[in-house]
Every structure is written in structure tokens, then in C-alpha cells.
Amino acid sequence: MQIPADLAQSWLTWQCQAVPGIIRGVIVAIDDEGLLGDVLAFHPEEGDGRSLMMDYAYIALKDGKGLVKTRLEYGPDNKRLCDLVACPLLINGKPVAVMSMIMAVRSEQQLKTLLKLVQWAGVWMKTLASVHQQRTKKRNTGIFFLTLAKSIHEQASTQAAAMDMANQLADQFSCERVSIGFRQGLSIRLQAFSHVATFDPRTELVREIEAAMEEALDQQITLVMPLREQDDGLIVRAHEDLLKQAGHGAICSIPLPGRNGNFGAITLERNSHHPFDDDELALIQSQAGFMGPAMEIKQWEERSLWIKLLDTIEDWSSALMGPDHLKAKLVSVFAVVFLSCLVFIQGAYEVTAPAAIEGSVRQIVIAPLDGYVKKAPVIAGDKVKKGQLIAKLDDRNLQLELQKQLSGRNKIEKEYQEALAGRNRVELGILRARIDQVSADIGLIEGKISDTELLAPYDGIVISGDLSQSIGKPVETGQVLFEVSPLNSYRVILEVEDHDMGGIRAGKKGHLIIAALPQSTYSLAVEKVIPVAVSQGGKNFFRVEASLDKPPQELLPGMRGVAKVEIGESSLLWIWTHSMVDRIRLWIWSIGL
């Protein structure tokens, strides 16, 4: 047992502070060859007398007993006097360090008493070292447990995890060889040797180790060679054969526990000079109790998909056929009854799709000429009467052009009157042609002025267009400004996803609920399926046109809701699962299965 440096420093500091008159002290470790080794502690760190204390520490170690020296010279030019006490520190009768102290000169009886006190304090040092060693051992054991768990978790396969675990156990417990085997059927098969990458499973040594593992598993107990007193009566023939085969003096086989009993075993071998003691066995058994479930889980996860399926079926069968697991049986009976009801009970199959209300006719109001918006008293959502002003374009330029043309015609008409008074037939013909041309231009301008007023084509509602915030905005000829839809004629547009189109055709009946009027349900009939798919919002759908039997007065174009089209009757199981089944079939086909 070695004394830690921090413990030695604390002990020496306490000794120097507890005993008055101590000038300086040192504790020196003893190496494996029984000689003075490293200095473990000094108190105080700085001072004289180092060589003096080290010399008498060597003498005390050589003599194997404590010594007392009086009136020794030390310090600069050896002008100072001191007394010295040196003695070995024994733990379990074996010297582990030497303590040497110099102190103020005192009587010989006081020095002997001090030596006894130091020797008694050595017993306290033994207790402290033992406690420290136990704490260190527990800490190292915990670290080893964590390292082993991390290793098992990080390895890619059970084989690699078993090999790494065998290597770590061999290093931790100073074993010549550690073997790990798992049960396969009724026998044990060796999985890993410590510090051996590959091995031939047909060799005699492997068979002997497997037999020793089976011997421990059959008896469900840890087997140790040489036998302990409490192990009398156990069968250890395979372990005796392994001792002869391997030539090692100590063997230990420990079962690996799993969820359904022991599923493997660990066999540790080392020379006869270091047999397994009870503390080591308890530690190895606790580690096996942890490693067994971890290794079984890793082995369980490596099963193929079919094996996992068969194991699941076997577990369920055992639960159903056995005397226990009442809950599992009730759940199974309920599931069978429920599935039977789904298969035999018929239900109405309906296709559900988003729906929107549109007018049966849409009248587009466009800009008849280039110009600027003068006023727009109507916006989208307003109801309008036939001939009601929707918007007006600025006609100032046209009015000026009209006045110009009117003035020109008046001038030509005066010239025409003068030519008529002079009976100039040629001039009259020319002036008549000019008057007709100007009149035509005036009619064209008046038509344009009339077109600047955009009027409602019929009674209805404006479903798009808002120029109220665009007064003075330029518009171009043909630009769409408004859309007007009648109030007494509607159609319903259903957006049916492509995988639901199989049963949709003209004549099918259904129902519609409008989001704005959720308290009412309206009957509809499919009129036309538009055979062009639309891709929008990450999905494909077809537009299906339907008509309402009795459209309510509250209905307005642009309202949205949900429609359900009745396709027919089928089993509840098919109704609830056909969509998922169809998608799975399509996926399987797409990957080439």
C-alpha cells in the first residue's frame, strides 16, 4: 500500500503543528526495491537540515526501527543544535515510508516519548491510507464501469463489443486471458478472447473454455478454481480439464444474466500466484450483472427484420396461450371483434374536397381606351345594378378635342353657306365632304367620352377590382379593371385530389358546408369533371364543377367550404384504410418491388 503525497503532507503538517518545538520534518517513500524513493512531504517547505534528516531516514530504514539523536549540528557553518527523531512508517507490518524530524533540544526522556507518539500516529496514518485506498478503489471501479458501458454502447457490433470488454476486463483484473461466450440454442459459443483478434472455434482450447462456461451456466453459479470452502459439492470437471489444458492456476467463470435468465458467461484466467479473492469476485459479478443486459440488448438489436417479426409473434403467442397476461388476451379479443365489425359493417364512402363558390358567369370590365382613373365609387364585394357607374376615366382631353372639332365644323358650315349663296357647285361639294368628315370625328370623340363611364353590365356583385386607392392612375386599353358576377346563378368548384378521382363522375350527389355558414348544409350535384390536373400548394388536384339545388340568398362568390361527394357503399375497413393502402402500393411499385 502506497501513501498518497497529499495524505502524507496533511499528516506531517498536523504532526508538526501538534508537537511544539519541531523545526522541520520530512516523509520519504520507499520504492519497490526497499530503498528510499521520492520525497512525499516537507514541512515547512523551506528551511535547513534536509541532508541531516535524509541521512538518518536512511539509517532508520536500514535498521528497521526508530532512532533518536540529540544535540546534532546543522544549519549555516553547523552553528545550530537540534535533536532528531526518525522512524519507518509501517502498514500491515511492512515499511511504506520513513519519517524524519528535527526539533529544538530537549531531554532524552522527552525524545523517547515523542518517538512513541510518532509511532502511534503511524497507526492513524495506516487507517487514513486504508480509507483513501478504498475510496480510490471505488472511484476507479466507478470509472471502469462507465468506461465499459461507453465502450459497449459505441461498438458497432456485439462481436466488437465483446472483444473490447474482454480486453478491458483482462487489463483491470490482471488476467492472462478473458473469454466471453453467448448461448446459441442449447450450447455456448465463444465470441471473444482478450487481446486476440481471431481464433479457430474447432481447437481443443476453445472447446474446453466453452465446456467450462456451460458448467457454470448449468449450475447457475459462479465457479472458482481453486475451489473455496463454500464450493464443496459443485461440479467443476470442465474447469479442472481447462486448468490442465491452459496451465493457469486460477480460473473464474461467471454467468451473464439476461432478461430471460443467463444467456452467456465470462471466464477469467490468471496464474496461481494471484487467485481470485472474495472482493474481486463480488466486483466481477456486479460488472457481469451490468454487462449482461447491455450485451443482450445489443445482440437483440442486431437481429434481422424477419427474426424480430418471428420473435414478436412468438411473444404474443406465448402471452395469449399461457395462463397469465389477462390484459393481453382481452386486448386481442377486442381487436379481433373490432376488425370483424370493420370488415362486415357497410358504410357510405364519401370523397371530401375543398370547395369554392363561383358565379356561373363572369363579366369582365376592361379599360376601353388609354386614360387616367377619375373616380371609382365601387370596390370588390359591392352589389351593383345594371347600368350603375362602376368607375369613370378622366375625359378632359376628349372634351377639348370635341370642342375643337365642333368649332371647326361651325367654320366649315359658314363657308358652306357662303358657297351656297354664290351657287358655286364645286366648292359646295368640297365643303359638304369636309363637314361630313368633321361630323364623323365628332361622333367618334363623343363615343370615347361615353366609354369613359364604366357601367355594370347587369345586376350582380363585383368579385374583383378596387380602384378607390388608385385615383389618377393611368390605365391602358384592354386592361382588366373589374369582374362582375350575377347574384342569382352560382356554381361550386371542388378541388379533388388525384388519388380520390376514381369514383368521381357527372351525376354524383353530395353535400356542401360553407365556412361562413357552418350551420347549414346544401345539396349539390356533380355536372362536369375538368380533365386537367392543377398543381398548387404542393399537391395535385382536379377541378370538378357542381351545381347547387337551392342556392341561398346569403351565398356570395368567393366563399369557401368543404364538399363531400357520395361514391357508394363499402366496408368500414376499406373506407378507413384504402387511401393508406393505395399509397403504400404506389410506393412499393415505385421502388421496384
Side-chain angles (χ1 to χ4, degrees), residues 331-407:
V331 170
S332 300
V333 171
F334 175 78
V336 171
V337 174
F338 181 69
L339 288 176
S340 300
C341 293
L342 293 181
V343 171
F344 294 107
I345 296 178
Q346 299 291 307
Y349 171 49
E350 298 176 329
V351 171
T352 303
I357 303 299
E358 294 182 358
S360 58
V361 179
R362 275 185 169 186
Q363 179 68 48
I364 297 176
V365 180
I366 64 173
L369 47 84
D370 294 346
Y372 299 90
V373 178
K374 185 176 182 180
K375 62 180 178 178
V378 173
I379 62 174
D382 290 346
K383 294 181 180 180
V384 294
K385 298 291 185 179
K386 182 178 180 180
Q388 179 181 340
L389 180 67
I390 298 178
K392 181 175 177 58
L393 302 181
D394 191 352
D395 61 352
R396 287 177 296 178
N397 292 336
L398 292 174
Q399 292 289 350
L400 292 175
E401 183 65 23
L402 177 61
Q403 293 298 325
K404 177 181 178 182
Q405 294 296 333
L406 289 173
S407 297

Side-chain angles (χ1 to χ4, degrees), residues 66-112:
L67 57 86
V68 175
K69 296 295 182 179
T70 60
R71 306 187 69 80
L72 297 177
E73 295 178 349
Y74 79 104
D77 300 329
N78 291 329
K79 293 182 178 180
R80 299 178 183 174
L81 295 178
C82 67
D83 293 341
L84 182 143
V85 174
C87 68
L89 298 177
L90 305 179
I91 296 181
N92 296 328
K94 180 180 178 181
V96 295
V98 179
M99 188 275 298
S100 180
M101 292 182 179
I102 57 175
M103 60 200 71
V105 176
R106 60 192 67 194
S107 67
E108 184 175 354
Q109 184 62 34
Q110 289 177 328
L111 288 176
K112 291 181 179 180

